[in-house]
Amino acid sequence: MIKDTLTTLPQYLLPQHTLSRLMSRLTHSKNVAWKNFFIRQIVRHYGVNMDEAFESNIEAYKSFNHFFTRELKPGIRPLTSAPNAIACPADGAVSQAGAISGGTIFQAKGKSFTAVDLLGGSAERAAPFQDGVFSTIYLSPKDYHRLHMPLTGTLREMVHIPGRLFSVNTATANVVPGLFARNERVAAIFDTEAGPMALVLVGAIFVSSVETVWHGVVTPPTVSTVQSWRYDNGAPTLQIGEEMGRFNMGSTIIVLFGKDRAAWTESLAAGKSVRLGEMIGKKL
């Protein structure tokens, strides 16, 4: 914990949004020498498996961000066909998964946050998830950074919630109280066969850009107050396994379901590596 604290404390002093804007310019640069160097360093350092990418030649990417949000080869992530299955929305590792107890979501030892805070301060928006279940999945720099639907759903509301941009790695989660409800984030709430489902895309330092397939880039720009969009008429319906959004750089997705509507598999626990499309739970 001492090491985690010493690593995390300087983040409170950093100009987080300024650094993220600077990183965005760098990652969108089309300077060939720069983007190729940057991509090679990430591939080498994190062990990115380019054999899975639709385009395996790094020189074919227009920018680092184009590489970072790369498409996978067709069929490389088969979608679960198990009855009533909930599919994993991303490649990554489980940060935590479990019950939403009394409206509270577990973050790390001794730390938690509320569904109300996570969803922008609205008790009405959080009410359907009271005593439900959650899973928090962290995407590392080596992972595929597009996000997909765990269940077929019709979009009801999207919410852009302002906040800080702390790192979301394990060390920071152990130290920063209410981390995922403090960082800037975009929440999308869908109606599904398992009732309301919330997908919360949490930004992080160097990761302030989040986009969805129906809206495009939601952030930046950042905002000073919560913004919401209702989709009462002509709401898009996305099928299980279909792409719903992406991080321009990587971060965390949190999935919420209501009480007695979904159950996670027994193996879905902190530290477990997961892959897009695999079964992580069942609708009840």
Side-chain angles (χ1 to χ4, degrees), residues 197-234:
M197 173 184 72
L199 303 179
V200 185
L201 285 57
V202 184
I205 193 162
F206 304 137
V207 198
S208 58
S209 183
V210 174
E211 61 181 279
T212 64
V213 296
W214 61 85
H215 183 97
V217 175
V218 184
T219 174
T222 189
V223 292
S224 56
T225 58
V226 175
Q227 290 183 325
S228 66
W229 294 260
R230 295 285 307 188
Y231 298 88
D232 298 321
N233 298 312

Side-chain angles (χ1 to χ4, degrees), residues 230-244:
R230 295 285 307 188
Y231 298 88
D232 298 321
N233 298 312
T237 296
L238 302 179
Q239 302 299 310
I240 183 173
E242 190 173 350
E243 183 181 344
M244 60 78 57

Side-chain angles (χ1 to χ4, degrees), residues 88 90-94 137 143 268 272-276 278 280:
C88 186
D91 282 1
V94 177
I137 298 173
D143 291 319
L268 196 74
K272 176 180 172 59
S273 293
V274 290
R275 303 188 94 183
L276 170 69
E278 71 177 74
I280 59 170

Side-chain angles (χ1 to χ4, degrees), residues 3-212:
K3 181 181 178 182
D4 289 348
T5 300
L6 292 175
T7 301
T8 300
L9 285 178
Q11 293 185 47
Y12 283 90
L13 304 177
L14 293 174
Q16 296 170 342
H17 284 86
T18 299
L19 288 173
S20 289
R21 286 193 295 270
L22 175 61
M23 181 60 74
S24 179
R25 293 193 189 100
L26 291 174
T27 58
H28 284 85
S29 170
K30 295 183 179 179
N31 179 284
V32 174
W34 157 252
K35 63 94 178 174
N36 285 347
F37 172 79
F38 199 5
I39 293 170
R40 287 194 180 97
Q41 294 306 306
I42 293 297
V43 169
R44 183 180 300 114
H45 183 74
Y46 289 102
V48 178
N49 185 359
M50 294 303 295
D51 289 337
E52 295 183 336
F54 184 80
E55 178 52 75
S56 60
N57 178 13
I58 66 171
E59 296 186 0
Y61 291 100
K62 299 175 183 178
S63 65
F64 179 82
N65 189 70
H66 187 207
F67 151 77
F68 210 79
T69 57
R70 62 195 174 275
E71 182 181 1
L72 295 179
K73 290 177 180 175
I76 205 76
R77 293 288 186 273
L79 178 65
T80 177
S81 59
N84 300 315
I86 297 171
C88 186
D91 282 1
V94 177
S95 176
Q96 298 292 340
I100 303 171
S101 179
T104 299
I105 298 171
F106 182 67
Q107 175 179 302
K109 186 176 181 180
K111 293 178 175 60
S112 60
F113 52 92
T114 68
V116 171
D117 289 340
L118 180 68
L119 297 175
S122 169
E124 180 181 1
R125 190 179 294 129
F129 306 105
Q130 182 77 12
D131 297 323
V133 295
F134 79 96
S135 64
T136 304
I137 298 173
Y138 168 71
L139 288 72
S140 77
K142 70 178 175 60
D143 291 319
Y144 169 69
H145 281 87
R146 301 188 187 191
L147 307 166
H148 294 247
M149 295 290 288
L151 284 179
T152 296
T154 299
L155 184 65
R156 179 202 304 169
E157 184 183 17
M158 181 175 73
V159 190
H160 178 197
I161 305 151
R164 299 292 301 272
L165 290 173
F166 289 101
S167 170
V168 290
N169 59 25
T170 301
T172 310
N174 287 338
V175 174
V176 177
L179 173 64
F180 301 112
R182 294 180 71 170
N183 274 14
E184 185 171 10
R185 56 206 177 276
V186 174
I189 300 175
F190 293 86
D191 290 318
T192 77
E193 290 184 351
M197 173 184 72
L199 303 179
V200 185
L201 285 57
V202 184
I205 193 162
F206 304 137
V207 198
S208 58
S209 183
V210 174
E211 61 181 279
T212 64

